Amino acid sequence: ELLVFLGLAGWFGSPLLPTYAALAWVAFHTSIVVWEEPRLSRLFGADFTRYRDTVRRWRPKTPMRDDAHPHRS
């Protein structure tokens, strides 16, 4: 979504769209970190903690090669 707003800002030459995009991203990120993650932690406990420790919040990890995957034979 952030990239869409930045692209539109470039397309329309608007200096306000990047500001809006940055503020919207900060609000979204804050709501996830302050509200959603603690709620999931209360609901799922140790399962969510393990999940949170192994999964990135916003960017996916690069795929592992088949021969480097620990659970494949």
Side-chain angles (χ1 to χ4, degrees):
E1 191 172 311
L2 179 62
L3 292 176
V4 170
F5 281 113
L6 293 175
L8 289 171
W11 181 267
F12 292 112
S14 171
L16 294 179
L17 274 177
T19 303
Y20 172 76
L23 290 174
W25 184 86
V26 167
F28 182 72
H29 174 77
T30 301
S31 71
I32 296 296
V33 172
V34 171
W35 181 77
E36 184 71 14
E37 287 183 358
R39 184 178 77 82
L40 291 171
S41 187
R42 284 191 307 274
L43 283 172
F44 299 106
D47 288 337
F48 179 72
T49 301
R50 277 191 304 277
Y51 172 80
R52 187 187 58 216
D53 291 343
T54 57
V55 175
R56 292 182 182 173
R57 185 177 283 138
W58 300 118
R59 293 179 301 131
K61 290 183 179 181
T62 56
M64 295 178 71
R65 295 184 328 262
D66 283 341
D67 59 341
H69 198 285
H71 300 293
R72 292 190 184 157
S73 52

